[in-house]
Amino acid sequence: MTEPLLSVRDLKMHFPLKKGFRRTGTVYAVDGVSFDLRKGETLALVGESGCGKSTTGRTVLRLEEATAGSIRFEGRDVRALSKKELFTLRRDMQIVFQDAYSFLNPRLTIGEAIAEPMEVHGLYDRAERARRVEELLDIVGLSPAYAKRYPHECSGGQRQRLGIARALTLQPKLIVADEPVSALDVSVQSQVLNLFQDLKERFGLSYLFISHDLSVVRHVADRVAVMYLGKIVELGTAEQVFGETAHPYTKALLSAVPQHEVAVARERIVLQGEVPSPIQPPSGCAFHTRCPVATELCRVSVPALDEITEGHFTACHYVEKGVSA
Amino acid sequence: MGHLLEVRDLSIAFRKLEKKSKDLPLTPGIDNVSITLQKGETLGLVGESGCGKTLSSLAVMGLLPDSAAVTGGRIGFDGEDLLELPERDRNKVRGARIGMIFQDPMTSLSPYYTVGNQIMEGMRYHLALSKKQARKRGLELLQKVGIPAPERVFDEYPSQLSGGMRQRVMIAIAISCEPDLLIADEPTTALDVTTQAQILELLHHLQKENGMAMILISHDLGVIAEMCQRVIVMYAGQVIEEGRTRELFHDPAHPYTQALLAATPRLDTKQERFYQIPGQVPPPSEWGAACRFLARCPKATHECQHAPSLLTLGGGRQARCWYAGDTSTGREEARRA
């Protein structure tokens, strides 16, 4: 097997909780996450708010400094890079945020905003940059006239296209897409998702696709990692995770998604209570407080992320190896 | 049979507030919207942002912003036209007989008052309860909506609660005066799926228990399908289709509904590409005599230059499309495209 584009091992991100100068606790936002992302692949990180999926994405790009663990991008240790080396590496790894409005500078025209990364990295001359801006707008399906407009003149879908155009400026290999379609209406959402798919084929991009929406993930992801309270509880191909769901949390999550196809009768597993606080995560398996099949063992012992069938991993004491429940 | 709610041909328009001239043309918000609802029924209102679903419900509630004005139609509620009522009498309906839940409880709950204060406010005003009685009922309500430690939460501020808990508080307030109608505007959109499942179950349960009617506004077709008996689909300020949930989702008549369903990602099958509705919703300035879906519609012909009114298809089905008759072929086209 070829070397993965991105390899994350035992990544931890612990935020200190402070009251004044006194440290009063720790938020275990990401607590031992490992995964590989191959070239040309889309790996989705799914989970509910606070599960650590966004933090994982940000830490991978070193927008946050990880507490522990290793991040390798094309074999290079990202965490050991100097500021200067990191600057160069950033050309290869870009991010698309949920709301493009919050990161686009309202005083820059769209053309200027897209050209900015090229300027920062000292690429091309002015004329070439202008030409490339036009090309990028065309790639994401906007007319060149948009280069002269300002962000507030654009709709949500258009702004998201701009966010993508800007991320593509430096011809990255990896794009971390953090909830890229969550703020969009269905008809616009489908346009943007198709755009993601097209760009992947056209430029051989790899995506770390962060989303809470399982129906979206079902269609865009090659592989899926389900997170709960800072840990991956299930990891596998989209077919494995959606078709041969193993972990009780993934099952509950899937059963909770409302569907408009009434034909399929489904049994809904309604989880009781709420996601526990990552400040004091439960002992043992973090899901045991809400798990319908939890026993004493789950309360005391942390299950490892074991391979149950080839490429399908799950962290549960009660999923047998070799069979998918 | 008498309807609980009977909105007839309601039109609302916006005026530009900063320019004081009243001669300026109004920007239309919704056009001739009709909504009827029986006692105890659940009606879904679907559509994308800006289609007018929230505006319609705010009008029923009597909470239109200052910039909006009703330009026609009536809102019948239990035999009375709410638009004719003086503000004082309107207050007796709002919050008491019609309750409302909003999408984001953080912006609709006051950060300065405790949860308990906010629950008691409505009951003391509408039901003239003493503080003691209101507190007792408030605690019961918190218990009823599934808040684990009602006594503690009663004295807490909204900022101390999680999103799901806040939404439960919102629901407790909305049902505190036992309304005949509950309007839930995107009640679960800000919540995680497992919390959403809990809240939907709670609403369903409360509705059964109190026999209250509900208008559920959502952009999520799945939520609507699971909760509602009847659905109204809105597009660009108009009702474009109406019918019983099962039939409407199974065999949508309007090309927009067909496209919306085709574009919605599903959990049970994998699509390589999503059905894409080309273009965008037209802004009000471009609403003319033509069908408002014209530019995006795969079936549009010259006939569509003149938009149809809502055509009755039988079985309570209505659709605003000249070609709504042959529904199944249209669906195939949308799927194939």
Side-chain angles (χ1 to χ4, degrees), chain B:
Chain B
M1 203 164 96
H3 299 293
L4 175 67
L5 180 71
E6 193 170 11
V7 177
R8 275 279 155 254
D9 301 321
L10 184 69
S11 297
I12 296 174
F14 290 100
R15 54 173 169 258
K16 287 212 168 106
L17 271 186
E18 64 271 26
K19 307 210 175 110
K20 284 188 180 139
S21 161
K22 282 202 169 153
D23 311 326
L24 276 171
L26 300 171
T27 312
I30 55 170
D31 266 355
N32 293 312
V33 168
S34 296
I35 301 169
T36 52
L37 195 67
Q38 313 283 352
K39 281 199 166 96
E41 192 185 22
T42 312
L43 172 76
L45 218 51
V46 221
E48 299 181 281
S49 334
C51 71
K53 49 194 197 304
T54 297
L55 197 60
S56 314
S57 65
L58 287 178
V60 172
M61 203 58 191
L63 291 175
L64 285 176
D66 288 343
S67 57
V70 174
T71 52
R74 63 187 297 273
I75 302 173
F77 180 73
D78 212 9
E80 279 180 305
D81 186 353
L82 292 184
L83 294 173
E84 302 284 314
L85 289 183
E87 190 56 27
R88 261 189 58 169
D89 294 333
R90 196 97 203 249
N91 268 342
K92 289 184 188 152
V93 176
R94 175 173 42 222
R97 304 201 53 204
I98 309 179
M100 186 156 183
I101 312 169
F102 301 90
Q103 171 172 350
D104 180 6
M106 204 53 218
T107 48
S108 38
L109 289 173
S110 167
Y112 298 118
Y113 294 94
T114 60
V115 166
N117 262 320
Q118 298 185 56
I119 292 190
M120 292 192 297
E121 187 187 5
M123 292 189 286
R124 296 204 54 193
Y125 178 85
H126 291 295
L127 311 177
L129 296 186
S130 73
K131 211 164 182 178
K132 208 172 149 194
Q133 289 168 313
R135 184 185 165 91
K136 186 164 163 282
R137 258 190 66 109
L139 287 171
E140 283 168 14
L141 282 163
L142 287 179
Q143 182 130 36
K144 202 168 174 180
V145 297
I147 286 178
E151 260 98 10
R152 204 193 69 219
V153 171
F154 199 83
D155 295 320
E156 279 183 340
Y157 290 88
S159 60
Q160 293 170 278
L161 304 175
S162 71
M165 283 299 149
R166 274 182 221 142
Q167 200 56 287
R168 284 173 198 269
V169 169
M170 235 2 256
I171 295 173
I173 294 173
I175 62 163
S176 62
C177 300
E178 300 187 341
D180 300 308
L181 170 63
L182 181 69
I183 301 175
D185 187 359
E186 304 270 7
T188 57
T189 307
L191 306 176
D192 281 316
V193 273
T194 58
T195 319
Q196 166 171 290
Q198 293 172 350
I199 296 291
L200 291 180
E201 211 178 58
L202 171 67
L203 284 174
H204 192 72
H205 171 77
L206 289 173
Q207 208 191 350
K208 245 169 78 192
E209 201 176 272
N210 302 356
M212 112 195 127
M214 181 157 78
I215 297 180
L216 181 66
I217 301 172
S218 181
H219 68 282
D220 189 326
L221 300 173
V223 169
I224 296 281
E226 299 207 349
M227 295 289 291
C228 304
Q229 291 137 15
R230 223 150 42 82
V231 190
I232 288 179
V233 185
M234 290 187 72
Y235 183 78
Q238 291 178 320
V239 172
I240 57 114
E241 185 163 0
E242 178 175 349
R244 277 194 286 271
T245 310
R246 192 175 271 269
E247 291 159 15
L248 189 137
F249 282 149
H250 192 253
D251 203 7
H254 195 285
Y256 174 66
T257 320
Q258 291 161 9
L260 200 61
L261 282 165
T264 304
R266 295 166 47 159
L267 260 187
D268 50 349
T269 49
K270 180 170 167 130
Q271 291 151 281
E272 278 307 322
R273 288 189 71 77
F274 291 102
Y275 174 71
Q276 210 167 299
I277 308 176
Q280 293 163 34
V281 183
S285 54
E286 288 167 24
W287 295 352
C291 171
R292 290 177 189 172
F293 192 56
L294 176 67
R296 311 175 78 187
C297 183
K299 298 159 111 187
T301 64
H302 63 279
E303 260 185 292
C304 305
Q305 289 300 333
H306 299 280
S309 51
L310 269 178
L311 307 176
T312 306
L313 305 174
R317 287 293 287 278
Q318 287 188 307
R320 194 182 290 274
C321 177
W322 293 119
Y323 302 102
D326 45 23
T327 53
S328 44
T329 51
R331 213 156 92 102
E332 281 316 303
E333 274 166 32
R335 281 263 164 84
R336 248 184 286 133

Side-chain angles (χ1 to χ4, degrees), chain A residues 194-220:
Chain A
N194 283 344
L195 176 64
F196 267 103
Q197 212 74 350
D198 293 341
L199 294 175
K200 181 178 162 186
E201 281 157 32
R202 185 159 165 191
F203 300 107
L205 292 171
S206 310
Y207 296 128
L208 187 61
F209 195 96
I210 299 166
S211 178
H212 72 284
D213 190 330
L214 292 152
S215 327
V216 166
V217 164
R218 173 86 177 89
H219 302 287
V220 300

Side-chain angles (χ1 to χ4, degrees), chain A residues 268-306:
Chain A
R268 164 159 300 172
I269 309 161
V270 176
L271 291 177
Q272 298 308 311
E274 304 203 332
V275 181
S277 155
I279 299 167
Q280 281 171 318
S283 61
C285 172
F287 186 54
H288 86 256
T289 52
R290 306 170 79 199
C291 182
V293 297
T295 62
E296 182 60 25
L297 175 67
C298 308
R299 211 173 55 76
V300 290
S301 142
V302 183
L305 191 64
D306 284 329

Side-chain angles (χ1 to χ4, degrees), chain A:
Chain A
M1 209 165 68
T2 52
E3 192 187 2
L5 181 70
L6 176 73
S7 179
V8 173
R9 286 292 168 274
D10 207 21
L11 184 71
K12 285 183 183 162
M13 183 72 222
H14 297 169
F15 296 98
L17 264 185
K18 282 179 187 161
K19 217 173 209 170
F21 290 108
R22 226 155 34 89
R23 185 167 170 154
T24 52
T26 307
V27 180
Y28 300 89
V30 178
D31 202 19
V33 161
S34 305
F35 59 85
D36 285 339
L37 177 64
R38 295 177 206 121
K39 212 174 150 16
E41 184 184 51
T42 303
L43 173 70
L45 292 180
V46 289
E48 299 182 281
S49 6
C51 71
K53 55 190 192 301
S54 288
T55 309
T56 305
R58 296 175 60 88
T59 316
V60 163
L61 298 180
R62 258 183 86 180
L63 295 173
E64 316 260 7
E65 293 294 344
T67 313
S70 89
I71 305 162
R72 289 186 170 272
F73 185 80
E74 296 189 308
R76 294 169 76 191
D77 184 353
V78 176
R79 288 192 63 207
L81 295 180
S82 71
K83 242 186 168 164
K84 220 176 138 191
E85 290 167 316
L86 184 65
F87 179 74
T88 323
L89 187 74
R90 285 262 165 84
R91 284 193 203 173
D92 290 335
M93 344 176 11
Q94 289 289 318
I95 187 164
V96 174
F97 295 100
Q98 171 169 355
D99 181 12
Y101 203 57
S102 57
F103 79 86
L104 284 170
N105 185 337
R107 290 166 183 231
L108 292 187
T109 63
I110 281 153
E112 287 166 339
I114 297 179
E116 198 181 26
M118 294 188 266
E119 264 168 63
V120 169
H121 283 264
L123 299 171
Y124 320 116
D125 57 28
R126 187 176 286 268
E128 173 66 8
R129 286 202 288 262
R131 198 194 61 74
R132 288 192 52 86
V133 165
E134 214 160 281
E135 189 188 327
L136 283 161
L137 284 173
D138 181 58
I139 288 172
V140 297
L142 292 173
S143 91
Y146 275 94
K148 299 244 175 339
R149 298 195 190 167
Y150 287 90
H152 72 263
E153 296 174 73
C154 300
S155 70
Q158 288 165 343
R159 285 202 293 264
Q160 205 49 283
R161 286 172 192 270
L162 292 176
I164 297 170
R166 201 175 132 112
L168 287 175
T169 323
L170 302 171
Q171 296 164 310
K173 294 171 181 157
L174 167 71
I175 289 185
V176 175
D178 192 355
E179 302 273 12
V181 295
S182 305
L184 306 177
D185 273 317
V186 185
S187 68
V188 185
Q189 170 177 291
S190 59
Q191 295 171 357
V192 174
L193 287 175
N194 283 344
L195 176 64
F196 267 103
Q197 212 74 350
D198 293 341
L199 294 175
K200 181 178 162 186
E201 281 157 32
R202 185 159 165 191
F203 300 107
L205 292 171
S206 310
Y207 296 128
L208 187 61
F209 195 96
I210 299 166
S211 178
H212 72 284
D213 190 330
L214 292 152
S215 327
V216 166
V217 164
R218 173 86 177 89
H219 302 287
V220 300
D222 300 309
R223 287 194 305 136
V224 180
V226 183
M227 291 186 68
Y228 186 79
L229 273 180
K231 288 192 168 70
I232 292 179
V233 296
E234 184 159 359
L235 172 70
T237 64
E239 287 71 32
Q240 285 168 335
V241 172
F242 287 94
E244 302 153 27
T245 315
H247 199 279
Y249 176 63
T250 317
K251 283 182 186 167
L253 208 54
L254 282 172
S255 85
V257 181
Q259 299 230 269
H260 66 264
E261 283 291 320
V262 228
V264 206
R266 293 172 315 141
E267 200 178 325
R268 164 159 300 172
I269 309 161
V270 176
L271 291 177
Q272 298 308 311
E274 304 203 332
V275 181
S277 155
I279 299 167
Q280 281 171 318
S283 61
C285 172
F287 186 54
H288 86 256
T289 52
R290 306 170 79 199
C291 182
V293 297
T295 62
E296 182 60 25
L297 175 67
C298 308
R299 211 173 55 76
V300 290
S301 142
V302 183
L305 191 64
D306 284 329
E307 191 162 17
I308 46 168
T309 53
E310 205 197 325
H312 191 183
F313 299 83
T314 187
C316 176
H317 291 301
Y318 290 96
V319 175
E320 287 172 55
K321 285 181 195 177
V323 273
S324 297

